[in-house]
Amino acid sequence: MIAPIVVGVVAGFVGCAYLVLRPPPPKVCGSPGGPPVTSPRIKLSDGRHLAYKERGTAKEEAKYKIIISHGFDDSKDFNLPISEELLKDLQIYLLSFDRAGYGESDPNPKRSVKSEAIDIQELADKLQLGPKFSVIGISLGAYAVYGCLKYIPHRLSGAALVVPVVNYWWPCFPTKLARESLKKLLFQDQRTFRIAHYAPWLFHWWMTQKWFPSLSSLEGKMDALSRQDIEIIKQLSEAPRDGQEKVRQQGVHESLYRDILVSYGKWEFDPTDISNPFPNNEGSVHIWQGYQDKFIPFELNRYLSQQLPWIQYHEAPDAGHLLIYNASLCEAIFKELVST
C-alpha cells in the first residue's frame, strides 16, 4: 500500500512542478483567439512573421538604410526624438521592427543572438534594401547587433550599439571587474540575471512567483534609474505612446522573459571574438554609453571598447540608460553613423 502512495505523491509533485515551470503558450497574432494583425509584416523562411514600420526617406531614394532593434519591453512604435525633416536631410530610410515575440512579430521559441541577426537579414532582403545596410541596437536590443557583427558582417555598412547590454559572464571580462559591476545593480536584479544564466529552466517560475522580488524595472521601481532617466520618463509620460499596449500582447514569456534569457544566458561567442567588419574604414562601429547609467555599468562597455580599438566609444557624462531619448544625443548617433 505504501509504494503506490509514494509513487502517487511523487507523480503529483512532478506534475505540479512541470505546470509551474512551464510557460503558458503564446497568443500568436492572427491566430484563433490571438490579437489581430494591424501592421505590415513579412514572412520569414521558417514561417514566422515580422512586423515593421518605415520612416524617413523612401528606400528607393535613400542614401543610407538603417534598421533599428528596439530595447527591452518596447516595440517598433517607440518614438525616437528625431524629426522626419532631419531623416530626409540626411537621406536616411529608417526601418524599425518588432523583435520576435514582441508586438505583432511571431514568437521564436528558439530565439538566440544568431536568430535575431538572421531575422534582420531576412527583413532587409524581403523589403529589398540592397546588399548593405546599417544597424542600431538599443539596450537589450543590442545583442541583435552583436549577432549581425558576428554572423552577417558582410551585409553591414555601419553599426551603433546604444547603452548595449553586457553579459557579466562573457569570458573577455576580468572576473573582478564583472563581479564588481554586477554588484552595482539592485540585489533583486543581480539574482534575476544569475538565475537566467545558471538556471534558465527555472526562470519562468522565478519571474511569476510572489515571494521574492524579481526584476526591478517590471515592478516600477525607480532605484535602478538615474536622475536623468527619471526626468526623461516624466517627459515621455506626458505624451501618448502609440502601440505600447501591443508590446506584451502575445505573452510576457515570449517577449520579455526570453529577451532576458538570451541576453544573460550562455553565448556562442563574446564580443572580442568579433573581427573588425570594416578593415578598410568603409564603415564604422560605435558604442554609446551613459556615464550615469545605473542599469548597464559604464565600466564594462568602456573596457570592451578598449579591447576592440575599431569600435568608436562615446561616453556621455550627463546621460543615463535612456540616452537615446535625449534629442541632441539621438541626432548625434545618427549623424556619426552616416558620416562614414
Side-chain angles (χ1 to χ4, degrees), residues 19-89:
L19 292 175
V20 169
L21 297 176
R22 183 188 184 192
K27 298 177 180 178
V28 179
C29 286
S31 66
V37 176
T38 61
S39 301
R41 305 199 304 176
I42 57 103
K43 189 174 183 178
L44 301 169
S45 58
D46 63 3
R48 291 183 296 115
H49 297 83
L50 285 186
Y52 65 90
K53 182 177 181 179
E54 299 168 295
R55 286 186 60 189
T57 305
K59 60 187 175 186
E60 297 81 7
E61 303 170 3
K63 184 176 181 180
Y64 306 103
K65 296 163 186 176
I66 300 176
I67 301 176
I68 190 161
S69 175
H70 66 77
F72 179 72
D73 201 12
D74 215 332
S75 75
K76 68 183 184 308
D77 297 309
F78 75 108
N79 295 320
L80 279 177
I82 186 169
S83 67
E84 288 292 322
E85 290 75 19
L86 181 60
L87 289 175
K88 290 178 179 178
D89 286 345

Side-chain angles (χ1 to χ4, degrees), residues 160-331:
L161 302 107
V162 183
V163 293
V165 62
V166 290
N167 186 310
Y168 299 92
W169 296 273
W170 281 337
C172 62
F173 289 139
T175 302
K176 182 180 179 182
L177 175 63
R179 184 169 54 243
E180 290 177 350
S181 297
L182 181 59
K183 286 182 178 180
K184 287 187 172 186
L185 307 184
L186 296 181
F187 181 70
Q188 68 186 87
D189 292 343
Q190 296 178 39
R191 187 165 50 189
T192 296
F193 298 153
R194 285 193 173 101
I195 291 173
H197 184 77
Y198 291 111
W201 53 271
L202 191 64
F203 194 71
H204 177 75
W205 170 83
W206 172 253
M207 295 298 292
T208 54
Q209 53 80 33
K210 305 300 181 185
W211 294 298
F212 306 100
S214 54
L215 196 63
S216 63
S217 61
L218 296 184
E219 296 177 352
K221 290 185 177 180
M222 296 293 189
D223 307 53
L225 295 172
S226 66
R227 174 183 55 80
Q228 294 86 345
D229 288 337
I230 293 173
E231 291 174 358
I232 288 175
I233 288 175
K234 290 178 180 178
Q235 295 171 8
L236 293 175
S237 66
E238 295 172 358
R241 299 182 67 188
D242 294 336
Q244 191 63 22
E245 73 283 354
K246 301 177 184 177
V247 171
R248 311 178 190 179
Q249 65 180 352
Q250 298 184 92
V252 292
H253 184 83
E254 289 298 335
S255 53
L256 310 188
Y257 301 169
R258 201 172 290 283
D259 224 6
I260 296 172
L261 287 168
V262 174
S263 296
Y264 297 101
K266 294 177 173 62
W267 286 38
E268 296 178 352
F269 66 94
D270 75 38
T272 57
D273 296 326
I274 300 173
S275 301
N276 181 1
F278 309 115
N280 299 315
N281 296 320
E282 66 273 30
S284 58
V285 180
H286 305 259
I287 286 181
W288 293 81
Q289 175 68 46
Y291 181 78
Q292 306 295 336
D293 193 337
K294 296 172 68 175
F295 189 70
I296 305 291
F298 73 88
E299 292 91 344
L300 293 180
N301 276 322
R302 181 190 286 178
Y303 176 85
L304 194 59
S305 67
Q306 292 169 349
Q307 307 310 303
L308 298 170
W310 46 268
I311 289 182
Q312 299 181 35
Y313 181 68
H314 312 265
E315 191 171 282
D318 296 319
H321 191 64
L322 301 179
L323 176 155
I324 193 74
Y325 290 102
N326 178 303
S328 60
L329 289 173
C330 183
E331 290 184 6

